Amino acid sequence: RKEVEQDPGPFNVPEGATVAFNCTYSNSASQSFFWYRQDCRKEPKLLMSVYSSGNEDGRFTAQLNRASQYISLLIRDSKLSDSATYLCAQTDSNYQLIWGAGTKLIIKP
Amino acid sequence: EAQVTQNPRYLITVTGKKLTVTCSQNMNHEYMSWYRQDPGLGLRQIYYSMNVEVTDKGDVPEGYKVSRKEKRNFPLILESPSPNQTSLYFCASSLLTEGEAFFGQGTRLTVV
């Protein structure tokens, strides 16, 4: 089993809709969790860190569920510019980043 | 401006011709790593370094070498490139205890 798993998608979503992704992980000793955004053929960029209490940044909300070992990303009022691949990542006990393979999101007008 | 700089951005080479992809960061990060990204496979770590003169293999190290003689630089060396090393390569750096990674713009390598 992969350490970090994501649904690869693509998720085709109409503009303005709310979309949510989950990312499951197997290493319960994980220290930190992140969501990254990657545009086609570009480098990944940090979207949000994920805290135990959950955190929100504008239209984006990230949550961590340690009991069920998953993190989630919710995007409200989706925009065409939200089209990208979303990567989740976690650090292990040695601070190494473990990556999911990414979920592709396509927002349609 | 805080950044990770990779060069070259694009490279087409022939099988067996040694090449080096450079990576430099200006954030004084201890941790640096190299990834390759192939369709459907996500980011796979090639090598990483936790500090100067400390390097370790990642998940797919075969056919690659690295060095970390200075904190800011972490070059990736392909001694004898082969077509299966055709890929998109990313260098990344981070503070060791924070995890947030900063990526270079990527190097698209084609080996023919």
Side-chain angles (χ1 to χ4, degrees):
Chain A
R1 182 186 168 190
K2 291 182 184 175
E3 290 194 55
V4 179
E5 293 200 55
Q6 295 183 253
D7 184 335
F11 284 41
N12 291 283
V13 174
E15 191 176 9
T18 296
V19 60
F21 317 129
N22 281 346
C23 171
T24 59
Y25 63 92
S26 58
N27 183 355
S28 59
S30 293
Q31 304 289 320
S32 305
F33 301 85
F34 306 90
W35 281 105
Y36 281 75
R37 172 194 169 125
Q38 186 176 23
D39 293 298
C40 188
R41 298 170 183 259
K42 299 275 185 75
E43 73 275 24
K45 292 185 179 178
L46 181 68
L47 179 66
M48 299 177 78
S49 300
V50 187
Y51 305 121
S52 296
S53 55
N55 48 310
E56 188 173 312
D57 183 4
R59 298 182 292 108
F60 297 83
T61 300
Q63 294 203 308
L64 166 63
N65 186 318
R66 282 198 183 271
S68 300
Q69 294 189 196
Y70 72 88
I71 63 173
S72 63
L73 178 68
L74 181 80
I75 306 174
R76 288 180 296 277
D77 186 24
S78 53
K79 312 290 185 192
L80 295 176
S81 58
D82 293 333
S83 297
T85 296
Y86 291 85
L87 305 169
C88 65
Q90 57 171 159
T91 54
D92 64 15
S93 54
N94 294 318
Y95 305 106
Q96 289 271 68
L97 272 171
I98 313 297
W99 295 88
T103 296
K104 187 171 184 178
L105 174 65
I106 301 170
I107 305 298
K108 299 194 167 183
Chain B
E1 182 191 352
Q3 59 186 5
V4 179
T5 304
Q6 282 180 240
N7 278 297
R9 294 285 312 279
Y10 302 92
L11 179 59
I12 300 174
T13 190
V14 296
T15 299
K17 185 176 181 182
K18 181 179 178 180
L19 67 92
T20 299
V21 184
T22 63
C23 175
S24 181
Q25 51 94 4
N26 62 0
M27 295 169 279
N28 203 35
H29 287 165
E30 305 98 340
Y31 188 91
M32 297 185 75
S33 59
W34 276 102
Y35 297 92
R36 61 178 289 173
Q37 189 174 38
D38 303 288
L41 296 178
L43 287 166
R44 293 184 292 168
Q45 192 178 55
I46 303 170
Y47 268 95
Y48 65 95
S49 169
M50 290 197 172
N51 217 324
V52 176
E53 302 291 1
V54 180
T55 62
D56 263 307
K57 295 177 180 180
D59 299 317
V60 289
E62 292 78 23
Y64 305 94
K65 286 173 59 177
V66 293
S67 68
R68 188 90 182 273
K69 292 184 171 58
E70 308 160 281
K71 199 170 188 178
R72 63 184 295 128
N73 295 323
F74 190 46
L76 178 70
I77 303 155
L78 284 72
E79 294 271 5
S80 182
S82 62
N84 64 13
Q85 292 178 298
T86 292
S87 188
L88 178 59
Y89 290 86
F90 289 106
C91 177
S93 74
S94 63
L95 288 171
L96 194 58
T97 56
E98 290 195 2
E100 179 191 346
F102 294 80
F103 284 82
Q105 291 180 292
T107 296
R108 187 162 291 279
L109 172 65
T110 301
V111 184
V112 298

